Amino acid sequence: MRKFIVASHGYMAKGLVHTAEMVLGKLENLNYICAYVDDGRPFEESIRDAMEEMEAGDEIIIMTDIYGGSVCNTFLSYINNRQIYQVAGMNLPLLIELVTNPLEDTRELIRQAVAKARASICEPAAMMTDLSATAEEF
């Protein structure tokens, strides 16, 4: 089974998961880990617990907030251990694409999801100005 973990500094991960579930409904294979929050529990314990819940044949796609940040770096020690993949620089379009795309090739799924997430980042006002200028040319 493919499982997903969204992890961030603070509560960003919780917010992304809740927002994705507002759009898609409850997702049983999606969890989040919030690091450095006031619950008193070291986030390394949460990561360890999540990894221990893996069953034989499971794969995990981990999405973290900042490439090179402590949350991202802490997960790196797990990447070579099992079928665990990591994507840094998460956003809502990335999360939705990963959890909804049924593509079986995980590396290709991640490649496509990252490309779509990148394409979703834009400046709407500038795009409207560009469209308006193009329309005036005709």
Side-chain angles (χ1 to χ4, degrees):
M1 171 182 237
R2 183 177 285 155
K3 298 178 180 179
F4 303 91
I5 297 173
V6 179
S8 69
H9 297 80
Y11 294 103
M12 180 183 180
K14 181 178 180 179
L16 275 177
V17 169
H18 283 267
T19 303
E21 289 183 336
M22 285 177 66
V23 174
L24 302 170
K26 180 71 177 148
L27 298 163
E28 297 300 324
N29 59 342
L30 176 61
N31 292 304
Y32 60 85
I33 296 173
C34 298
Y36 309 116
V37 295
D38 295 331
D39 65 359
R41 184 172 191 222
F43 82 99
E44 293 86 356
E45 287 181 20
S46 298
I47 293 171
R48 202 169 28 256
D49 290 349
M51 294 302 142
E52 288 174 2
E53 289 178 13
M54 269 188 81
E55 297 176 12
D58 282 351
E59 68 178 14
I60 296 179
I61 299 176
I62 301 159
M63 289 155 273
T64 59
D65 53 2
I66 301 170
Y67 173 70
S70 59
V71 174
C72 176
N73 291 345
T74 302
F75 274 103
L76 287 176
S77 64
Y78 291 94
I79 299 302
N80 293 326
N81 296 339
R82 298 177 230 169
Q83 290 185 322
I84 301 173
Y85 306 85
Q86 185 175 3
V87 181
M90 65 187 181
N91 63 21
L92 186 59
L94 174 72
L95 174 57
I96 289 173
E97 182 64 23
L98 286 172
V99 300
T100 61
N101 189 325
L103 192 62
E104 288 187 32
D105 181 336
T106 304
R107 292 268 181 227
E108 181 61 18
L109 167 64
I110 290 170
R111 189 195 67 71
Q112 288 180 17
V114 167
K116 287 182 179 182
R118 281 185 183 141
S120 73
I121 298 171
C122 64
E123 183 186 3
M127 292 176 68
M128 297 298 290
T129 301
D130 292 345
L131 287 174
S132 194
T134 303
E136 289 175 10
E137 292 175 7
F138 291 102

